[in-house]
């Protein structure tokens, strides 16, 4: 599902004549899978060394997910503000080259179960709209009701351009994924 989401973002901009918008933007400490594209957008580790020649370059921005206060059970808003400032700074410099921004809404799962606020998602949606960059929600881990709402991003009251779903669709019984998009991307 995530691999197809990345391809859709790139293909949309190629088809629309924006041939320079081929780069992907992702959060630091992210995990999106183990195919070539998904390894490229995730945080690289010793497990990826063998595949390094095959992986493409990705722009990474600060994760908002480092400031969960376990004592209060709340996310520190300052982390989201700093991460949004980092996102905006990168988009100001490179938006003409970036076709999509992928993130795991509200929790970076394999990256350490790191939580972040809905405010970050709201801000990211606004910046993606402002800079003509697709917001891609990797809902493979957090989707299908695992966080209360069917989609995790619903809690922020935003809607991404492309959504990748998987694990909750089959209960992990067999490999099954779906990639959803807005009508704009579909057309």
């Amino acid at each position: 599902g995530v691999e197809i989401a990345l391809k859709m973002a790139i293909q949309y901009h190629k088809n629309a004549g924006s041939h320079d918008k081929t780069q992907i933007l992702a959060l630091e400490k992210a995990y999106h899978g183990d195919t070539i594209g998904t390894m490229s957008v995730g945080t690289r580790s010793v497990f990826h060394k063998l595949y390094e020649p095959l992986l493409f370059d990705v722009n990474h921005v600060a994760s908002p997910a480092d400031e969960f206060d376990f004592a209060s059970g709340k996310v520190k808003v300052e982390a989201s503000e700093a991460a949004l400032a980092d996102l905006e700074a990168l988009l100001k410099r490179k938006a003409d080259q970036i076709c999509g921004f992928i993130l795991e809404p509200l929790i970076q799962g394999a990256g350490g179960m790191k939580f972040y606020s809905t405010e970050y998602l709201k801000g990211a949606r606004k910046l993606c709209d402002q800079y003509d960059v697709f917001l891609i929600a990797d809902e493979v881990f957090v989707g299908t009701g695992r966080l209360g709402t069917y989609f995790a991003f619903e809690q922020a009251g935003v809607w991404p351009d492309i959504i990748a779903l998987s694990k909750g669709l089959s209960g992990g019984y067999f490999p099954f994924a779906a990639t959803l998009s807005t009508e704009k991307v579909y057309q």
Side-chain angles (χ1 to χ4, degrees):
V2 174
E3 189 83 16
I4 298 303
L6 300 172
K7 289 170 64 176
M8 287 171 71
I10 293 167
Q11 184 178 350
Y12 172 91
H13 288 286
K14 287 282 189 183
N15 289 352
S18 303
H19 298 288
D20 293 334
K21 289 180 85 76
T22 59
Q23 296 181 20
I24 301 292
L25 177 59
L27 293 175
E28 293 173 345
K29 303 175 187 158
Y31 174 79
H32 296 287
D34 292 315
T35 60
I36 297 300
T38 61
M39 283 191 291
S40 295
V41 297
T43 296
R44 311 243 172 118
S45 72
V46 67
F47 301 109
H48 299 106
K49 287 291 181 203
L50 175 66
Y51 307 102
E52 195 70 37
L54 303 172
L55 305 181
F56 56 84
D57 290 332
V58 174
N59 300 280
H60 284 94
V61 291
S63 171
D66 288 331
E67 299 295 329
F68 188 76
D69 182 359
F70 285 95
S72 69
K74 296 183 180 181
V75 177
K76 296 178 185 174
V77 177
E78 307 83 49
S80 289
E81 292 170 356
L84 283 170
D86 189 46
L87 173 60
E88 184 168 23
L90 192 132
L91 287 173
K92 280 182 183 178
R93 288 192 323 273
K94 298 187 78 173
D96 60 332
Q97 299 166 43
I98 296 171
C99 63
F101 174 36
I102 186 165
L103 50 70
E104 301 160 276
L106 302 181
I107 302 176
Q108 287 186 286
M113 296 304 289
K114 304 277 187 176
F115 293 75
Y116 64 94
S117 76
T118 57
E119 295 309 309
Y120 184 82
L121 286 177
K122 291 176 189 176
R125 171 76 274 174
K126 183 178 174 184
L127 289 169
C128 285
D129 288 342
Q130 180 180 341
Y131 289 98
D132 189 29
V133 170
F134 287 141
L135 181 61
I136 304 168
D138 176 352
E139 292 261 348
V140 169
F141 170 70
V142 297
T144 58
R146 289 183 170 173
L147 297 181
T149 53
Y150 191 79
F151 297 113
F153 62 78
E154 287 181 90
Q155 295 179 35
V158 300
W159 195 266
D161 300 287
I162 303 172
I163 306 162
L165 291 170
S166 183
K167 294 179 186 196
L169 296 176
S170 71
Y173 185 70
F174 58 89
F176 181 72
T179 307
L180 314 173
S181 74
T182 61
E183 185 68 20
K184 175 183 175 180
V185 175
Y186 173 77
Q187 290 301 327

